[in-house]
Amino acid sequence: PYSPESTHMPKGYMNGGVVRIPSGRYTLNKRIKLKRGVRLSGESRESTQLIGYTINGLFYYEDEGRYLPDEFVIENISLWQHESVVPTSGAAISFKHTGLVPEASISVKLDNLIIEGFYNNLIIGDGINLQIGRIDQSKAISDGAVIDSQFFTTSSIFGACYAHSNGGSGWLFKKLYYV
């Protein structure tokens, strides 16, 4: 882990950047692990469409090291699970801590998205600062969005978020103390 006294930057630090996805329809046939600090930006949620052909979700980030604060942005994109592939786990977008001490050092901003047809459409784990706006998510097999704050604080801001036609809850909040 990185400390201010250390002269060695951890592997993976500053790997982020902006990935601009032009208008179009794109197929994804395997999960994509996001690098630290990445920003995925489409032209608009109507014109930039990513179609999933996976059974376990599309984009995920699992923080193992608790190194330095990270900020992720996913905006102006539609994520659709293709009807020919029935998902059995995962989510269109998933952010989780896998280390022992999840602290609120990951910030995630999700804006202007359509998400449809995955096992869960969103999974957000412990200790993640979350800002969600203009999201329309539907047709999840399980719960539409799972915000899980079992052990540590998850700070969340929501605006213009919609859920409909999900198999379970539209928005499932686990163990939140303030909403």
Side-chain angles (χ1 to χ4, degrees):
Y2 174 76
S3 71
E5 296 79 30
S6 174
T7 58
H8 172 54
M9 297 302 280
K11 183 178 180 184
Y13 177 64
M14 303 279 287
N15 278 345
V18 177
V19 178
R20 297 201 188 281
I21 306 170
S23 292
R25 180 174 277 191
Y26 305 91
T27 58
L28 301 172
N29 57 13
K30 67 180 182 175
R31 290 177 79 198
I32 297 172
K33 184 172 184 176
L34 298 173
K35 291 189 174 206
R36 301 175 75 83
V38 74
R39 178 184 200 114
L40 292 175
S41 186
E43 286 191 36
S44 77
R45 71 184 198 169
E46 292 80 16
S47 67
T48 303
Q49 300 177 1
L50 306 180
I51 313 299
Y53 284 84
T54 68
I55 61 169
N56 57 353
L58 283 185
F59 297 106
Y60 72 102
Y61 179 76
E62 294 176 347
D63 186 32
E64 303 156 352
R66 309 302 329 123
Y67 296 115
L68 289 173
D70 282 318
E71 180 178 88
F72 296 87
V73 177
I74 300 176
E75 61 188 358
N76 304 322
I77 297 173
S78 289
L79 303 169
W80 307 85
Q81 177 69 23
H82 194 272
E83 59 202 27
S84 68
V85 180
V86 178
T88 58
S89 64
I93 300 170
S94 176
F95 285 91
K96 295 181 182 179
H97 289 288
T98 58
L100 297 175
V101 184
E103 297 174 11
S105 64
I106 296 176
S107 294
V108 175
K109 180 181 178 186
L110 306 174
D111 186 43
N112 201 28
L113 303 176
I114 296 173
I115 306 171
E116 184 175 299
F118 293 87
Y119 187 77
N120 292 295
N121 289 329
L122 296 171
I123 296 176
I124 307 296
D126 271 343
I128 294 174
N129 295 317
L130 178 64
Q131 183 177 348
I132 295 181
R134 299 180 297 166
I135 298 237
D136 187 1
Q137 53 98 5
S138 63
K139 299 182 183 176
I141 290 176
S142 184
D143 298 305
V146 179
I147 314 297
D148 189 355
S149 187
Q150 287 188 322
F151 303 107
F152 296 89
T153 302
T154 298
S155 173
S156 303
I157 299 171
F158 296 88
C161 298
Y162 302 96
H164 50 89
S165 305
N166 292 298
S169 299
W171 294 89
L172 177 61
F173 298 94
K174 292 184 176 181
K175 300 195 180 187
L176 291 180
Y177 297 103
Y178 300 99
V179 178

